[in-house]
Amino acid sequence: MARSKQSKPKTPKAAPVRDERWLHFYRQMLKIRLFEEEVNQLYLGAKMPGLAHLYIGEEAVAVGVCEALRPDDYITSTHRGHGHCLAKGASVDKMFAELLGKEAGYCRGKGGSMHIADQDTGNLGANAIVGGSAGIATGAAMSAKMRGSQQVAVCFFGDGALGQGLLYETMNMASLWKLPVIYVCENNQYNEYTHYSETTAGEVTARAAAFGIHTASVDGQDVRAVHATALKFINSARAGAGPAFLQCNTYRFHGHHVGDIDRSYYRSKKEEEEWKTHRDPVKLLADWLKKNKLVGDASLDKIENEVSAEIKAAVTFALNAPYPQAEEVDQHVYA
C-alpha cells in the first residue's frame, strides 16, 4: 500500500535558553537513552518480569516538552512512558526498582513498566490503554482552572491513540471550556506494526483544528524545535488561552516492545538505519552544541561518564532491593 508523504515540518526559532541549560537538555536525553538501553539488557538477561516498550529514538519529545513545564505542572504518560517519567523528574533508582517489582519502586513494584506514577513530580501516571490518559490529563487541567492554580497538564500519546474516541471527546471539552491542557502526539510512524498512514485518514493536526484547538507539527528529533513550540503553547495555556495540540514526528529505534526483534515484515532495516544514522536526537543536539562552540568532546564525555555511573548504581540498587511483603498484595488497590 502506498504511503502518503508528509512534508518536513518547519523548525521554529528556538526559545532563548541559557547555554548551560542546553547541556542539561543533553544530560536528560542521554539519561533516558542509557536507562532504556539498560532496561533492554535486564530483559535479555531475564532479570526483569514482563515486557517494556523502549523510548530510544524519541528522547527529544519528552525532554523538549517537560523542560517547558513547572515542577507542579502535570503530565500523563503511555505504555512507552519511561522517557516521560525521567524527563519530569523521576529518579532512576526508583524507576529500576519499579520495573523489577521491588518495594522501593514508585508503586512499590506493583505498577511495573506501564503503570509508573510519581505525583511528587506531577506525573499522574503511565497507562497501558492506548489513549487512556486523555481523560486524566483533561480532568487535571479542569481542576487547575477551577482552582486558579495556573498549572498546565500535558497529555502524551502515540499516533495509535488517534483512533480512540476518548481523545476527541476530551479535546472537545477542553476547547469549549478553554482548559490548560496540551495534547502531545508522539507520531513515531507506526501503530504497533502498521504505518500510521494506513490507519489514519487525513492530516493529523486537522483533527484537533476541527475543535478550534491551536495546532503545530514539529521535527520530534530536534529538541530545540520541540521545546520552542511546547513553551509557546504551555505559556499560552497558562495565560488562559485554552488547549493546544502538538504533533512531534519521531521514530522508535527499537521494536514495539523488547520482544519485537525481527521487524523486517513491517519496516525495512534501511529505514531504521537512516533514522539511527541521520536522525538520532541525542547526536543531533551534541553536534549542534559542538558546532556552535558551546561544548567540546571532553565535556560531553564527562556527562556521559557521570550519567553512566548513575545508571549503573541505580541498577545495582534495584537488583539488591527487597520485594514487597506478600501480605500487602491487596493493599494500594483501588479498583
Side-chain angles (χ1 to χ4, degrees), residues 149-161:
S149 65
Q150 293 191 315
Q151 291 167 287
V152 172
V154 168
C155 178
F156 289 104
F157 59 92
D159 43 291

Side-chain angles (χ1 to χ4, degrees), residues 255-274:
H256 171 61
H257 54 71
V258 286
D260 179 18
I261 305 300
D262 180 14
R263 299 177 289 279
S264 59
Y265 67 95
Y266 70 91
R267 70 185 199 189
S268 68
K269 290 186 177 180
K270 180 180 179 182
E271 176 183 293
E272 289 189 353
E273 287 305 312
E274 179 70 20

